Amino acid sequence: MTTASPPDFVKRPGPVRKLNRAADERFGTQAGLRRNLNKVFPDHWSFMIGEIALYSFVILLLTGIYLTLFFDPSNTEVVYNGSYVPLKGVEMSRAYASTLDISFDTRAGLVFRQIHHWAALIFVASIIVHLMRVFFTGAYRKPREVNWLIGVGLLILGILEGFAGYSLPDDLLSGTGLRIAASIAQSIPIIGTWASFMVFNGEFPGANFLPRLYVVHILLVPGVLLALIGAHLAILWQQKHTDFPGPGKTEHNVIGHRVFPIFAVKSGGFFMMTFAMIALLGGLAQINPIWMFGPYDPSMVSSASQPDWYIGFLDGSTRLMPPWEFRGLGHTVPAVFWPTAVLPGILFTLLAIWPFLEARFTGDTKSHNLLQRPREAPTRTALGAMAISFYLVLWISGGNDVIAKTFSISLNAMTWAGRIGLLVVPPIAYAVTKKLCLNLQDKDAEIEHHGIETGIIRQLPNGEFVEDHRPKPEPVPDYPMVPTDRYALPAANGHGDGHGTGIARRAGKAVSGFFVEEKDKEPEAPGKH
Amino acid sequence: MSDQTGPGTPGPGGPGDQDRPEDSASERMHYAGYQGEPADKADQDSMSSIFHRAKHPVDTSGAPAKGSDVAAGGPEISAGTHDGPEALGTPPHQTDSTRNPQHTVMRGGAGSGGVTPRRPRSADHDRRAERRAERVIALWFMLSVVGTVGFVITNFVGDKHKEYYTPCLGSALGIAVGGLGIGLILWAKRLMPHEQAVQERHEFTSAKEEIAVTEAEIADGFADTGLTRFPLLRRTLLGAGTVLGGLVVVPLLNLTNAKPGKKLDHTSWVKGARLVTEEGRYVKLGDVSIGGIETVFPAIPVTGANGQVSYQAKTDLHTKADSTTILIRLPPGVDRPRKGRENWSVDGHVAYSKICSHAGCPVSLYEQQTHHLLCPCHQSVFDVLDGCRAIFGPASRSLPQLAIAADSDGYLYARNGDYDEPVGAAFWERS
């Protein structure tokens, strides 16, 4: 398993080798192919969360393509005459009618629609959990700030894409969401009315709005998402993955599995597992049953109407906002502007610039490849806990009517609890987390100095009882460590192909030039590059 | 590890019997097994205890990779030897001498450089186990085929209107991809060699010379463009680019077919418009019982050629989006109309915009006892008795009131025409 001397050049290549050589003659693939197949990815369960996001996106693309074949994004009013009896004869948009058709009259339509919706929920969820992993381990530090920025962009676009997606069926729930979106657009100072009219093509509900939303949902945002995901992965590939400290691991190496074969097979299997889980959810767990909501009607709304989970925090911030509307000089800045436009603007901006803020405040301009445990950066971890608690208070408040109803609490009390909680809980989370981190650090230091308690009590000759401690063992690697490259190439001799010495090369050239028709020249082919 | 005596044989020459260790704390530190439990518990062959292996998959005893070879094992003590429960004051067991620091290799021994790999899988040294793993993996792959076939059959043969259809499809697809997924993962875990490949990272920063050359070449190239020498060229290029960029405004503005203008200020209500329900029934006095509500829309009066007035109910989406009105019949005497609105109601009937003044949702929950209207979207609460003033939640404006009256036949109609203020969410141009 260790690096061996170079193998012999196979003179009678099989079909696979032939294909490889054909590609190499045209594109010069060998060095790059070898480098990339031998690329090492470290192994840790937390590194797979981002993979879930990637795989959810692939599932979204696959199921989304299927849905586009049947969905008709049209505002045109039709009378429904499908197989769902309760809505027969009801006037509705063709978007809603075709969604009903997908759900009831298309083979495998409902299951793919539900898989699509579940995959969207899991896509955003895994992005956020991945973001937390990256945050709490300090993986965003130099040189990976750009990938952090791309990741924040992916999160924002993912939320927008999800919102556009669940607004497309034009059911009562999605129409209500769009109405709120229109009100938010309208609330922007100076340009708000124009923005809203531009987005909706006129006064809400606008004219032929759904085809536009459709283009945004299936072309524009997915295109940008795809490009950003590509950049995210390319940068990851180029910079190599971070890893936790461990036996043999330094800032200057990566230890793990090679891409080929173990990482590729494991990742393929993991994609399949993600797909399987989402397929099971899509088949067994009903989601967004639009036929129960009915077509959109601006005069109607169902109580306890909840957006998809990732919009919940904005719903919550809107609910908690006190009725502070600024009026004066003939103008109005509506209350809805602050919690839905300003607050997310601030939150996402802070999120985006965090790596630069941290580098600035800590004065840390070095590059890092080894991750930190959360306890090793107490302030960062505490700030993260603070942000999470802030988000959670907003998110819970987004469903405060459901909570109030379920637990028979006064809705007003829930709202006030949210308003106060939003200010009180994050500082508490900060203080508690920081204390926790520092105590854990103390514990680590103690083990470092005194060893681990064994539970064995012994009596000294003088009668004193002492507990035995043993030194903390050095961690050992799970598996034998081997160099990345299975075969050593002789050092490059200026021509970089590593085949033979200069003299051998020149001899080979001469030989191949001489016996140009002979098959013998085959082994020396690299010399002709 | 080389001088480690075989288990259970405190060897001759071994210091075990003669030199009992000093009863010092520093030495005793090492007596205990370093797996967090007294070493005494470790039996001669830790391989024989499934429990031990399950708890401590990483074997640090210094046992060689070939698990069956016990003889060169680590600091285990002889079989059957058991110190019994730890008791206070128990002197070190006789065999404890073999665990003196100088005879006990704590971490795999110096020779192996502290690297003790995980115990090999049974598939690594047992052909039958290998075949077993192969069969298990193949079974999962076959299960995937079953799932795929199940999906195809359900899709084409199943009745898509039956309840089983979607769950069966989802489960079959789950089995189809999941079987393949589990098979792949087992394949990688059980049959592929386990090793940690070590790869060097490389600095991203280029060599100083490289940077200098690149920068110089770019600077030279820039100088070749002459942008520094020809200010007129530079300025006109910048200017033309900026103006061209301004073109973006065109498609943006073309996005809307209508300027906002005063559209947000008006609804479809006109003077004399009757209040009509969703079903097309004109609302008359007495239709709504006390404490009842009705969602109404405008029915626009149209004077025909013969001078006869007919009403045209407007219940299209656009009308509904801003003209939806909620008609509430209050018990007599509770309403406290605002100044100037004393005659905007008829016989306890009051009409307010149903479009929430906060974010435009329909304010559809009416509490009869408190006469409060609640918006289900963001829980704004409006007090109907007090001119639908916003009393709780994020809404800050009252719901606009529609002045209504009853004609001689008892039909309710809008007496002043449109609302006197914009309905729905506020916006910049609104005063």
Side-chain angles (χ1 to χ4, degrees), chain A residues 461-497:
Chain A
N462 60 11
E464 184 192 350
F465 287 105
V466 293
E467 184 183 3
D468 278 356
H469 284 68
R470 63 181 171 86
K472 190 185 175 212
E474 286 296 312
V476 288
D478 290 5
Y479 304 114
M481 299 234 222
V482 295
T484 317
D485 294 320
R486 294 164 193 260
Y487 298 103
L489 274 181
N493 50 17
H495 298 276
D497 61 29

Side-chain angles (χ1 to χ4, degrees), chain A residues 32-93:
Chain A
L33 188 65
R34 182 163 165 268
R35 191 173 61 242
N36 285 320
L37 289 183
N38 277 348
K39 193 169 189 69
V40 167
F41 275 84
D43 225 5
H44 192 267
W45 63 266
S46 70
F47 301 161
M48 304 203 296
I49 302 164
E51 283 185 56
I52 296 178
L54 175 68
Y55 302 148
S56 309
F57 184 72
V58 174
I59 295 164
L60 282 167
L61 288 183
L62 294 176
T63 51
I65 291 169
Y66 187 76
L67 294 177
T68 56
L69 303 176
F70 300 99
F71 181 64
D72 179 5
S74 166
N75 287 91
T76 314
E77 294 280 312
V78 292
V79 174
Y80 179 67
N81 193 26
S83 58
Y84 185 61
V85 179
L87 286 175
K88 255 195 176 146
V90 175
E91 213 175 301
M92 58 183 65
S93 66

Side-chain angles (χ1 to χ4, degrees), chain B residues 84-314:
Chain B
E86 271 308 320
L88 293 185
T90 307
H93 192 273
Q94 292 249 329
T95 54
D96 270 359
S97 58
T98 59
R99 276 175 269 151
N100 261 344
Q102 53 269 45
H103 304 295
T104 305
V105 185
M106 296 296 288
R107 310 296 315 165
S112 58
V115 176
T116 309
R118 193 181 285 231
R119 202 173 275 284
R121 301 160 297 187
S122 54
D124 287 339
H125 52 77
D126 183 354
R127 290 266 307 190
R128 278 186 306 168
E130 208 175 46
R131 295 276 167 248
R132 218 159 38 232
E134 187 190 3
R135 279 198 297 274
V136 169
I137 295 163
L139 200 66
W140 281 106
F141 287 164
M142 308 270 275
L143 193 67
S144 162
V145 175
V146 171
T148 311
V149 171
F151 185 87
V152 173
I153 290 176
T154 316
N155 181 66
F156 288 116
V157 183
D159 182 350
K160 62 192 173 194
H161 298 305
K162 286 276 175 6
E163 267 186 20
Y164 70 78
Y165 186 69
T166 297
C168 276
L169 281 179
S171 310
L173 188 61
I175 292 169
V177 282
L180 207 52
I182 294 176
L184 286 174
I185 291 170
L186 285 180
W187 176 24
K189 283 182 88 78
R190 297 230 179 130
L191 292 182
M192 291 193 189
H194 276 201
E195 53 195 23
Q196 302 262 37
V198 184
Q199 187 171 35
E200 293 303 307
R201 292 180 192 269
H202 302 288
E203 273 290 317
F204 296 115
T205 313
S206 308
K208 280 208 176 85
E209 299 80 13
E210 181 100 37
I211 299 172
V213 167
T214 311
E215 286 176 353
E217 286 185 347
I218 292 173
D220 292 352
F222 186 73
D224 288 351
T225 64
L227 278 176
T228 43
R229 280 186 296 147
F230 309 117
L232 183 63
L233 173 90
R234 189 174 69 237
R235 284 172 202 154
T236 47
L237 177 66
L238 275 177
T242 313
V243 172
L244 189 67
L247 264 186
V248 175
V249 175
V250 173
L252 271 182
L253 289 186
N254 286 355
L255 275 175
T256 177
N257 60 8
K259 290 181 204 164
K262 296 282 178 199
K263 287 202 178 66
L264 288 178
D265 297 349
H266 301 297
T267 71
S268 301
W269 286 99
V270 294
K271 194 166 182 174
R274 278 190 182 171
L275 278 54
V276 65
T277 64
E278 172 96 51
E279 297 81 34
R281 179 172 50 82
Y282 303 126
V283 181
K284 265 169 99 169
L285 281 178
D287 282 357
V288 184
S289 54
I290 290 178
I293 60 168
E294 187 78 73
T295 300
V296 293
F297 308 94
I300 311 295
V302 183
T303 312
N306 52 4
Q308 215 172 2
V309 176
S310 60
Y311 291 91
Q312 187 196 349
K314 298 193 73 170

Side-chain angles (χ1 to χ4, degrees), chain A residues 366-395:
Chain A
K366 283 206 292 272
S367 286
H368 298 274
N369 292 317
L370 284 182
L371 298 172
Q372 291 174 308
R373 295 168 84 192
R375 70 184 64 168
E376 288 166 25
T379 306
R380 175 207 297 150
T381 305
L383 283 172
M386 188 166 152
I388 289 176
S389 63
F390 185 82
Y391 180 89
L392 279 181
V393 172
L394 288 182
W395 191 72

Side-chain angles (χ1 to χ4, degrees), chain A residues 1 38-40 77 83 104-105 107-108 110-112 114-115 143-144 176 179-180 183 186 189-190 193-194 197-198 201-207 212 238-242 251-258 261-262 265-266 268-270 272-273 275-276 279-280 283-284 296-301 303 315 318-319 321 323 325 327 330-336 369 400-401 411-412 415-416 419 454 456-458 460 466 468-471 473-474 476-484, chain B residues 23 25 28-36 38 58 60 86-92 96 107 114-118 151 154-156 158 160-161 165-167 169-171 173-174 177-178 180-182 184-185 187-189 192-204 252-260 263-264 266 278 295 297 317-318 320-322 324 354-355 358-362 364-365 374 376-379 392-397 425-431:
Chain A
M1 287 300 169
N38 277 348
K39 193 169 189 69
V40 167
E77 294 280 312
S83 58
F104 293 107
D105 295 307
R107 290 207 172 275
L110 182 59
V111 73
F112 280 125
Q114 296 196 139
I115 290 176
R144 295 181 175 78
T176 307
R179 171 107 218 198
I180 298 170
S183 299
Q186 215 169 281
I190 303 173
T193 331
W194 279 91
F197 270 61
M198 261 173 357
N201 193 12
E203 187 180 355
F204 183 86
R212 281 185 187 183
Q238 159 78 5
Q239 293 183 329
K240 298 197 175 83
H241 205 286
T242 52
E251 285 282 355
H252 305 291
N253 68 11
V254 202
I255 295 180
H257 293 299
R258 299 184 189 99
I262 291 194
V265 171
K266 272 189 176 174
F270 191 40
M272 297 288 179
M273 292 304 295
F275 200 164
L280 288 176
L284 304 176
Y296 179 53
D297 181 336
S299 67
M300 290 203 279
V301 70
S303 74
D315 202 4
T318 315
R319 290 174 186 210
M321 179 72 193
E325 188 168 294
R327 298 168 205 160
H331 292 294
T332 301
V333 181
V336 77
N369 292 317
N400 61 5
D401 54 334
L411 185 58
N412 295 15
T415 304
W416 272 110
R419 284 173 180 172
T454 58
I456 299 170
I457 310 286
R458 298 204 185 261
L460 300 186
V466 293
D468 278 356
H469 284 68
R470 63 181 171 86
E474 286 296 312
V476 288
D478 290 5
Y479 304 114
M481 299 234 222
V482 295
T484 317
Chain B
D23 193 18
R28 273 187 281 102
M29 258 179 71
H30 301 286
Y31 290 160
Y34 29 79
Q35 287 291 354
V58 178
T60 56
E86 271 308 320
L88 293 185
T90 307
D96 270 359
R107 310 296 315 165
V115 176
T116 309
R118 193 181 285 231
F151 185 87
T154 316
N155 181 66
F156 288 116
K160 62 192 173 194
H161 298 305
Y165 186 69
T166 297
L169 281 179
S171 310
L173 188 61
V177 282
L180 207 52
I182 294 176
L184 286 174
I185 291 170
W187 176 24
K189 283 182 88 78
M192 291 193 189
H194 276 201
E195 53 195 23
Q196 302 262 37
V198 184
Q199 187 171 35
E200 293 303 307
R201 292 180 192 269
H202 302 288
E203 273 290 317
F204 296 115
L252 271 182
L253 289 186
N254 286 355
L255 275 175
T256 177
N257 60 8
K259 290 181 204 164
K263 287 202 178 66
L264 288 178
H266 301 297
E278 172 96 51
T295 300
F297 308 94
L317 277 186
H318 286 82
K320 278 182 170 178
D322 59 6
T324 304
K354 199 182 177 182
I355 309 300
H358 173 237
C361 289
S364 48
L365 301 178
L374 179 95
C377 284
H378 305 109
Q379 281 80 48
F392 190 78
S396 61
R397 284 177 190 264
F427 47 95
W428 174 251
E429 289 85 355
R430 181 183 175 156
S431 59

